[in-house]
Amino acid sequence: MSAQRPTFLLPILAILGSIAFLCTGTSWAKHSLFPEIGAQGTTALRLGFAAALMLLFWRPWRAPIARHDLRSIALYGATLGVMCLSFYLSLRTLPFGVAVAIQFAGPLSVAVWSSRRPLDYGWIALAVLGLGLLLPLGHDMNTLNPTGIAYAAFGAIGWACYINFGKRVGHLPISITAPLGAAVAALVVVPVGVAHAGAALLSPSVLLTGLGVALISCAIPISLELFALKHLPKHVFGTMTSMEPAVAALLALVLLGEVLSFTQCVAIALIMTASMGCALTAQARRAKPVPAVAEAA
């Protein structure tokens, strides 16, 4: 049992690290790059630089890849590109925390469809309750931009597909799936960014900021998420990523000076409880001793 706990703990820590890097980099991108090159240009630099960094670091061409695995990687990368572009487009008109909360419907749906035990649904319900408190339901909801909501919802679909396609390539080394997936995603979004921002993408200050954003919000999170997807069930991964809206709200407080209300604090506590509870119960189930009859069989 002691040998299993560290193995299970590492992918959980990978998810937490991925969320922290992603939210930090996205906040930086919205503040520094959106005014210069827009959401499309920001996404293009983010994924373009991330793909280049990971290709140089991992050098996936050194290993042979089966044709059916290449198809799976292409689907994984395409959904990654669509997810990132849709999310950044939603940030043009939606608050960061609200956009993240709407997009989280994707992994939450995966968690619901992949769960089999009543306790799993309990943790999911707790996460849904927390997300409901984070969203400005009621009167404030009328002030949200419908186009932004549509982009965030489309990003949610992309996120759900991203998780499922990521599991399909989970048998491959991260040194193959991370760089090739990012390269396909870059092929999807870079033409859109170039068409929108044009020569503004070549500004030295924009390029330098884009390189930093790509590393923090894309290259590192993608690698960490693929490691977690390789070692966690889909419902655990989906529920654990419910931490992202909470982390986004906390970073908005630290980086942007946005003060959290009491309701938002309660929402964050519920989401974090659901995430930790899902991880702990999944670990306990995984560490449960195998019955002697099963061993004999």
Side-chain angles (χ1 to χ4, degrees):
M1 185 180 300
S2 60
Q4 290 177 332
R5 286 178 178 172
T7 303
F8 193 82
L9 179 63
L10 287 177
I12 296 296
L13 293 176
I15 293 178
L16 298 179
S18 171
I19 292 171
F21 278 111
L22 178 61
C23 291
T24 301
T26 302
S27 299
W28 184 18
K30 184 176 182 179
H31 176 74
S32 301
L33 292 178
F34 271 39
E36 300 289 335
I37 56 175
Q40 298 93 325
T42 301
T43 310
L45 282 186
R46 178 184 182 236
L47 284 172
F49 274 130
L53 289 171
M54 286 191 282
L55 286 170
L56 289 173
F57 180 78
W58 293 111
R59 291 176 288 176
W61 52 83
R62 297 178 299 174
I65 309 173
R67 181 172 298 181
H68 67 276
D69 286 333
L70 284 174
R71 288 195 297 268
S72 297
I73 292 173
L75 290 171
Y76 163 75
T79 55
L80 172 62
V82 170
M83 176 185 71
C84 292
L85 181 59
S86 300
F87 176 60
Y88 271 50
L89 287 171
S90 73
L91 290 179
R92 296 181 303 175
T93 54
L94 293 181
F96 185 28
V98 173
V100 172
I102 294 174
Q103 196 180 25
F104 177 69
L108 189 62
S109 299
V110 173
V112 170
W113 286 106
S114 303
S115 297
R116 294 293 181 268
R117 301 189 312 158
L119 186 58
D120 294 332
Y121 292 109
W123 297 127
I124 292 169
L126 201 61
V128 171
L129 177 59
L131 289 169
L133 293 176
L134 271 182
L135 280 171
L137 300 174
H139 175 73
D140 291 337
M141 195 68 178
N142 296 326
T143 65
L144 294 181
N145 183 276
T147 303
I149 294 175
Y151 278 127
F154 195 70
I157 297 173
W159 199 351
C161 295
Y162 166 82
I163 294 174
N164 282 290
F165 290 137
K167 290 297 290 185
R168 287 190 188 182
V169 298
H171 63 285
L172 297 173
I174 297 174
S175 59
I176 292 177
T177 51
L180 293 183
V184 173
L187 291 175
V188 171
V189 302
V190 167
V192 179
V194 172
H196 174 79
L201 293 171
L202 301 179
S203 168
S205 60
V206 168
L207 288 173
L208 185 60
T209 304
L211 180 61
V213 167
L215 179 65
I216 295 175
S217 71
C218 198
I220 295 176
I222 287 176
S223 300
L224 291 175
E225 284 183 358
L226 280 171
F227 173 78
L229 275 168
K230 192 179 183 72
H231 295 88
L232 290 177
K234 283 191 291 187
H235 78 276
V236 176
F237 183 90
T239 308
M240 281 297 297
T241 51
S242 66
M243 291 283 285
E244 188 166 333
V247 173
L250 290 173
L251 285 175
L253 170 65
V254 175
L255 301 178
L256 305 177
E258 297 179 0
V259 179
L260 298 175
S261 66
F262 174 75
T263 301
Q264 289 173 322
C265 291
V266 173
I268 290 172
L270 291 174
I271 293 171
M272 295 180 71
T273 301
S275 298
M276 291 184 292
C278 181
L280 290 173
T281 53
Q283 178 182 359
R285 185 166 70 250
R286 190 174 184 176
K288 187 177 180 180
V290 180
V293 174
E295 289 181 351

